[in-house]
């Protein structure tokens, strides 16, 4: 397999610019996709877009040089087009359109995965955005493999291509599945074969073995990873061949402590940072018993200062 191209998945409430900074400094990530900016009744102003993707003001890259594209979520072609235009004026180097969000509240308002039921509408939104921004601006879409069945995947991928996107990411679950069951990598492979644009495979990649199997089943050379990187911050380095072995638990915890400190340094409150750190600790504890024990012992702390102290004490014990 040639060197894979690796993307950090957007995860609302987790992968903000502080997280992107902390993870991209480790290396291995080619592109980050921001969490979505939701476009509902009016085009969004530049300051809202910059809040979600401050890297737009610094050439569209993290401090470590990794490209960041802004994700937009919405279904009105003209509002999406105008918002994309403003994003480009504010410095966006790429725009990703979200047609995969399964949250009922979002879908009820005709956003995210709601459009999977009518792929022609996906084409229309992409076409409007493509026509609104210069051709030098990368345009992509993130979709699920279907609304209720993964055999919808090829038609969805074709709808994205027909709109003029340069690439697409497919999460191998349907909207109905939410996060249940397994990502259907075979379905992603069928979608890939139905289009000529590059397809990024997404869902359930947590190790080199997973990526190898995913590559075999999909034929993809590009992979997007979300939760696996919360459990193992070094995962991208590992998949790129920059590290030979997975990190020890103490290395993962040291990364978590420095990430928490970075959040505080950026002005986030002690409680907010403790909440974020515990969410990551929970993912780390799923793949490591010793971190699980630390999580159980320390999860009662609601302030980062106390949680940090507890983690450091447990790590040195
Ligand atoms: C907490 C959380 C928040 C998410 N937020 C977004 C989002 O803002 N935009 C998006 O396209 N996908 C979002 N996703 C979906 C992920 O990007 C990804 O498609 C999914 O987690 C499957 O990949 P994984 O198995 O590598 O985690 C989110 C997922 C999670 C768990």
């Amino acid at each position: 397999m040639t060197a894979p191209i690796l993307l950090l998945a957007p995860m609302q409430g987790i992968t903000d610019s502080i997280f992107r900074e902390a993870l991209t400094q480790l290396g291995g990530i080619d592109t980050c996709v921001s969490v979505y900016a939701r476009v509902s009744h009016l085009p969004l102003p530049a300051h809202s877009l910059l809040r979600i993707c401050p890297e737009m003001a610094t050439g569209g890259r993290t401090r470590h040089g990794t490209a960041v594209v802004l994700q937009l979520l919405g279904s009105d072609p003209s509002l999406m087009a105008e918002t994309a235009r403003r994003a480009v004026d504010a410095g966006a180097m790429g725009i990703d359109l979200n047609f995969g969000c399964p949250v009922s509240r979002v879908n009820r308002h005709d956003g995210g995965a709601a459009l999977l039921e009518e792929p022609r509408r996906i084409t229309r939104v992409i076409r409007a955005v493509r026509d609104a921004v210069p051709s030098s601006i990368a345009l992509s879409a993130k979709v699920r493999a279907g609304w209720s069945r993964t055999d919808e995947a090829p038609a969805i991928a074709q709808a994205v291509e027909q709109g003029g996107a340069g690439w697409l990411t497919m999460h191998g679950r349907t909207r109905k599945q939410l996060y249940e069951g397994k990502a259907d990598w075979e379905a992603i492979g069928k979608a890939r074969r139905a289009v000529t644009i590059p397809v990024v495979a997404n869902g359930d990649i947590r190790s080199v073995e997973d990526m190898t199997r995913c590559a075999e089943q999909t034929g993809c050379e590009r992979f997007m990873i979300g939760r696996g990187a919360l459990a193992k911050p070094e995962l991208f380095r590992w998949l790129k061949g920059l590290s030979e072995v997975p990190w020890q638990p103490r290395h993962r915890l040291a990364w978590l402590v420095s990430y928490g400190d970075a959040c505080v340094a950026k002005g986030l409150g002690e409680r907010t940072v403790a909440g974020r750190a515990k969410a990551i600790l929970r993912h780390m504890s799923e793949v490591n018993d010793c971190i699980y024990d630390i999580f159980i012992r320390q999860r009662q702390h609601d302030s980062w200062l106390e949680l940090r102290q507890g983690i450091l004490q447990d790590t040195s014990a």
Side-chain angles (χ1 to χ4, degrees), residues 293-311:
D293 293 342
I294 294 176
F295 174 64
I296 296 297
R297 269 198 301 276
Q298 304 299 340
R299 68 181 166 183
Q300 86 274 10
H301 295 305
D302 286 330
S303 110
W304 170 240
L305 207 63
E306 288 165 9
L307 179 61
R308 178 187 201 280
Q309 208 169 3
I311 293 172

Side-chain angles (χ1 to χ4, degrees), residues 9-12 14 34-36 71 96 98 142 171 173 179 202-206 224-228:
M11 288 179 283
Q12 204 68 239
I14 302 171
S34 83
V35 298
Y36 64 76
Q71 189 179 71
D96 186 70
N98 178 322
K142 184 159 177 287
H171 176 190
R173 287 186 176 80
Y179 288 90
N202 171 238
D204 300 346
I205 299 171
R206 291 160 193 270
M224 177 183 275
I225 291 153
R227 292 164 298 172

